[in-house]
Amino acid sequence: MLLVAHCSPHADLDGASLAFQRLVAAGKPQKVALTACMRKLLIILNAMVKSGKPWDPTLHSA
């Protein structure tokens, strides 16, 4: 998550970062939490492509 946020200064990944932190705090290994966050973002991006709507950070929270 940090690499993506670092590479894209316009990306609003607060929801994904919070989800990652929440999963790690719940005792999940970091790789499992990272995979879950990647899946979450992939599902959101797939829905955006299907609907043709742009990114709306108010719709995608942790």
Side-chain angles (χ1 to χ4, degrees), residues 2-49:
L2 296 177
L3 177 64
V4 173
H6 178 72
C7 293
S8 179
H10 301 291
D12 180 17
L13 298 176
D14 289 339
S17 296
L18 291 174
F20 176 79
Q21 292 171 1
R22 186 179 65 242
L23 289 169
V24 171
K28 299 291 182 190
Q30 287 188 354
K31 283 187 181 182
V32 172
L34 182 61
T35 302
C37 291
M38 288 188 300
R39 183 177 187 278
K40 177 182 175 121
L41 289 173
L42 187 60
I43 290 171
I44 292 170
L45 292 172
N46 187 38
M48 288 171 52
V49 169

